[in-house]
Amino acid sequence: MEGNSIEEDSKVETNEQKEKNIEDDINVEEINFMEKILEKDASDELKCLDFERQMFLDCVFSDGLMICAKGVSYEKVIINLFKVYLNPANLILILNCDEYEENYLTKLLNSPLVRAASTNSNEREKIYLSGGIQFISTQVLVLDLLKNKIPTELITGIFVLRAHQVIESCQEAFALRLYRQKNKTGFIKAFTNSAEAFTFGYGHVEKVMRNLFVRELFLWPRFHAVIQRSLKTYEPVSVEFHVPLSSKLAQIQTNILDIMNFIVKELKRINPTVDLEEVTVENCVTKRFQKILQTQLDSIWHQLNAKTKLLITDLKILRSLMFSAIYSDSVTFYSTLKNYRGAEYAMHNSGWTLLDAAERIFKFSKERVFNNQDEFEPEPNAKWRAVSEILRIEIPADIKDVISDERNEFDKQKPIKILILCNDARTCYQLNQYLTQGAEKTLFWTALKNEVKVKKLSKSYKSFNIHESGIVKNPVEVNNPDFKHKPSTSGKAVRNEKISLKFNDTSRKRKHTNDETNESKTDDNNKVMVNDENEEEEEYIKDTYLLTMTQRIDGNESFSAADFDLTKAENVTFEVCDEYNEKNPSLNATAILSSMQKPTVFIQTFKSDRNRMSSLDQTLQDMSPDYIILYNINITAIRQIEIFEARHQRHVRRRLKVYVIMHAKTVEEQSFLTALRREKQAFELLIETKRTMVVPEYQDGKTDVEIEDQLDDEEEEDTRNAGGQEKALKKEKSKVIVDSREFRSELPCLIHKRGLDVIPAMITIGDYILTPDICVERKSISDLIGSLQSGRLYNQCFQMTRHYSMAILLIEFDQNKSFHLQGRYMLSRDSDTMNMEIVQKIQLLTIHFPKLRLVWSPSPYATAQLFEELKLNREEPNLEEIMQTGTDETMQELAVITDRYNTNIHDFLLKLPGITPKNIHQVMKKGKNLKNLLKMSDIDLVELLGNIKDARLLHNILHKAHEANKQDQKTIKGRKFLKK
């Protein structure tokens, strides 16, 4: 017996060993397959670096959330993962991807299996069954999942981009929850470049991971050892130009900082009980400042006094003025500052314009434009001289040094390509104007554009003709041989040779930080407050310009930078490439650069504010520049340049050379250092969180435990049942019919999370049908105001009360803001009587519809809970009956207006005299736009509106000046006491 048991045990061990060996063989085969993918990728144009290989291997074998530093793109990882799953047997869905990224990834993969989601639901069903990679919007995916139009159990996996945006109530979390309910084997892989987004709130990264149904967290900061090792060997050569500010500009910066410091102290003194720890002068210069204010003050805004609100507004204005002074020219800043010195603004600010520091700011800004004799002699931008020196002297001198070195093989016939990177399109336009026209003409036309009064010109501005009256539309149109460029006197640039582009060393002061996430969609650090621009000039402000360099000496032109005479650098001229900038603005720059015989200068923005993958990296790959000039410093750009050079692995003597222009010891440098510090702290927090957080095994949703827990689907047993009494039968799951257009909001997701079935349908009356008798029309605050003013809400309430016994108007507030209707913050600032008008209209609505219930909800979470309570022990709605309700002509017309037209424009036109509900559709179809409507004559308006009376009324309101009736003005003034 013992012998038999021993033999049986040995057989079991042998079987287990065989199974283990088979699993090991399978793992080896998988690893070999992945290595082949990476080896194949290494033969492509973009080489896969060591850290990218490691990131790929981390993701391919397990689901998880990957957080990368800005500039450390996960693009190569995603492309290689797509190649692994690029098979008709797999169905892969990509969420949260914008149009630019979709086109970019589709072009790289170049496969018929990569498809975009169709707008037709029937076509989408066929595409789902054909497999491949699908780019699909989250709203469409949610609707298809709820309607069972997609085979959920056949989905191989889902990729989620910008994962930091996946909060509990968003559409992505809704789609993933529906996916995990029916599919327990598919994968979920999430990626993001925003580490700082996880520093706001308590346990934010754990919540995001829970919403994504992942258990693994992968962190890739710039100081990661593998990234350090990958980029250290092939660092680009860097030269920093520390450009000092002029004395007057330095004084302006100092005085603005003094005023900001005073306002911050005043804020904390007035509000001792409010948490304003993060509101500091140092944080004011970062791009996260707006997010900090929203986080700390939005929920209590209605409780703050008027003085506090004025101080916060002035703090934002001073912050904009600070960066306007540094990044824009002296004329633009002076023109902007004049707007804050008028009596009108003085009556509506906290009083900072009356301070001595403000008076000094006004004084120095004027002295930067006019000299002691009140002559127009503006101070050029401090960085212009540095750019001119680099292009005319530094780069040609470096080329001559390379040629003189016998060890280098330099092709003189190959034209030199120089890339200049700026923060925004306006800076690119300004730099283009300076290089092609010179400082004097650029500043003079800027003065004309901003209506700066010029009484006398200095000697330097009398050397060129000034008969042109207007803004330079095209630099090529102005050709004046008498004009010669004169270098700026703003200060000599200090060169620091051979300074590495790598700023991540912990022994240095500069530490890594992430750039701003998608919240901002604009760069506040470099936002220049200017007057309203003319439409003609706006057409020529682009984010890309292409120039050519030539040197004319004694009538001879030199087209090679290697032949430039450095002693006559002022003769180097720049011309706009007409082929790119005028004839074919959409033409590929790579095709033009390949045919250029002259040295070319490519000016463009960083494009990092778009939060898109490979925005700059694609430009570097297509252009392959010889030199790069960072006109403004940008963390993302620096890291993308590092990775670009590491991919090419060139010899040290042939590496890319980067010139970094920066104002030393200024707000620009402080903003950069603060951003680095904040990113480093964000990753340190994430590393500590990863070390201590506890992740349940069921968090991936591959078991029913987590889904049931999230859906709150467990029913409590009734303990009041007497002995022997039978248990009640299990009730049918409650359901809510939701209008398909409501899936743009958070509420359907939260309703489903509470265990209610959500049924999407195109209903004509109401937004949510809870029972056969309960209909709910949901309105946000902005939608409520627009509906009341247009009268659309009246029709909606009329239809609800007509077809349902319990009609509910739900007024829903933003959970991140105060639950407070009255107050200029939540409503409108256009009129003092706006608040009273809104309240009066709501009162009239309740009088007209006494059966209408008004429900005020502080957040979508409270609304979802309310819906659940309203449905207790009530009958479920019938979808067929609901679809047949309210299909009369009135509701069809309302649906046409909502679907085919912009409701805001529709409501605005109805307010104009002469436009009635009968002719509004004709006006919106044939009028095209307001500009076209203004150009129409009396006869055209008669044909458009159908009668002379309406045409005359509309023509008069559009073309004649009108003044308010004095009696009406007295009535409005007499009503002011009602505000109290």
Side-chain angles (χ1 to χ4, degrees), residues 738-778:
V738 182
D739 187 13
S740 299
R741 289 159 291 194
E742 273 294 303
F743 281 87
R744 301 186 187 98
S745 65
E746 301 175 344
L747 189 53
C749 173
L750 297 175
I751 292 173
H752 182 269
K753 193 174 186 305
R754 297 195 69 87
L756 303 176
D757 275 348
V758 176
I759 301 177
M762 290 295 294
I763 55 180
T764 56
I765 299 177
D767 295 327
Y768 299 86
I769 309 300
L770 305 184
T771 70
D773 300 325
I774 301 178
C775 175
V776 180
E777 177 72 27
R778 189 191 68 89

Side-chain angles (χ1 to χ4, degrees), residues 540-565:
Y540 294 94
I541 295 182
K542 298 173 291 186
D543 59 0
T544 303
Y545 295 90
L546 185 61
L547 311 177
T548 58
M549 289 176 59
T550 55
Q551 187 179 44
R552 293 183 177 88
I553 301 177
D554 299 331
N556 298 321
E557 289 188 348
S558 177
F559 298 143
S560 175
D563 300 331
F564 283 1
D565 187 353

Side-chain angles (χ1 to χ4, degrees), residues 850-902:
K851 293 183 179 180
L852 181 68
R853 272 80 165 176
L854 263 66
V855 177
W856 304 82
S857 175
S859 68
Y861 290 89
T863 304
Q865 182 180 355
L866 174 66
F867 282 4
E868 185 181 21
E869 294 174 356
L870 286 174
K871 286 186 63 63
L872 288 177
N873 303 321
R874 291 181 184 268
E875 186 180 353
E876 298 298 329
N878 188 301
L879 181 59
E880 295 180 359
E881 295 178 358
I882 298 301
M883 295 295 292
Q884 295 176 0
T885 304
T887 56
D888 52 4
E889 297 179 358
T890 305
M891 292 307 301
Q892 288 180 359
E893 182 181 357
L894 185 62
V896 167
I897 295 172
T898 306
D899 293 339
R900 297 177 59 183
Y901 301 126
N902 187 325

Side-chain angles (χ1 to χ4, degrees), residues 651-841:
H651 192 273
V652 65
R653 293 192 297 271
R654 302 182 62 183
R655 284 184 193 163
L656 178 66
K657 197 165 189 177
V658 181
Y659 296 91
V660 182
I661 304 176
M662 182 171 60
H663 291 300
K665 299 179 180 179
T666 62
V667 172
E668 181 184 25
E669 184 180 28
Q670 182 61 43
S671 175
F672 175 72
L673 296 176
T674 303
L676 289 171
R677 176 180 57 81
R678 291 181 68 90
E679 188 206 44
K680 180 175 180 292
Q681 291 176 350
F683 270 109
E684 287 175 349
L685 175 63
L686 289 172
I687 292 170
E688 180 64 21
T689 303
K690 181 180 179 180
R691 187 182 66 84
T692 58
M693 71 178 177
V694 178
V695 181
E697 291 185 1
Y698 55 81
Q699 183 167 298
D700 56 6
K702 294 182 179 181
T703 60
D704 292 331
V705 178
E706 174 68 4
I707 300 295
E708 290 178 359
D709 183 47
Q710 285 203 15
L711 294 179
D712 299 331
D713 200 26
E714 297 180 0
E715 295 185 1
E716 296 182 1
E717 294 187 3
D718 190 0
T719 59
R720 297 182 179 179
N721 289 332
Q725 188 174 354
E726 294 183 1
K727 276 191 174 182
L729 295 176
K730 189 174 181 180
K731 294 182 180 179
E732 183 184 355
K733 198 171 183 180
S734 297
K735 59 184 178 181
V736 177
I737 299 176
V738 182
D739 187 13
S740 299
R741 289 159 291 194
E742 273 294 303
F743 281 87
R744 301 186 187 98
S745 65
E746 301 175 344
L747 189 53
C749 173
L750 297 175
I751 292 173
H752 182 269
K753 193 174 186 305
R754 297 195 69 87
L756 303 176
D757 275 348
V758 176
I759 301 177
M762 290 295 294
I763 55 180
T764 56
I765 299 177
D767 295 327
Y768 299 86
I769 309 300
L770 305 184
T771 70
D773 300 325
I774 301 178
C775 175
V776 180
E777 177 72 27
R778 189 191 68 89
K779 294 291 182 184
S780 63
I781 298 301
S782 58
D783 192 16
L784 174 68
I785 296 171
S787 300
L788 285 172
Q789 292 177 343
S790 65
R792 189 171 69 251
L793 183 58
Y794 179 89
N795 295 329
Q796 293 171 340
C797 293
F798 175 78
Q799 293 295 331
M800 282 197 301
T801 54
R802 177 179 165 187
H803 293 91
Y804 293 93
S805 59
M806 184 181 292
I808 298 176
L809 174 61
L810 173 69
I811 302 174
E812 190 177 80
F813 287 73
D814 187 349
Q815 60 181 346
N816 297 319
K817 294 186 178 180
S818 58
F819 185 36
H820 192 261
L821 176 64
Q822 297 192 26
R824 295 171 63 183
Y825 176 68
M826 290 301 300
L827 293 180
S828 174
R829 303 183 183 184
D830 297 337
S831 172
D832 292 338
T833 60
M834 177 64 70
N835 299 346
M836 185 59 64
E837 291 177 2
I838 296 299
V839 174
Q840 290 174 351
K841 288 181 179 180

Side-chain angles (χ1 to χ4, degrees), residues 366 370 373-376 452-458:
K366 184 177 181 180
F370 301 98
Q373 286 76 34
D374 202 22
E375 295 176 338
F376 182 73
V452 176
K453 295 181 181 179
V454 179
K455 298 179 180 178
K456 293 183 291 183
L457 294 175
S458 64

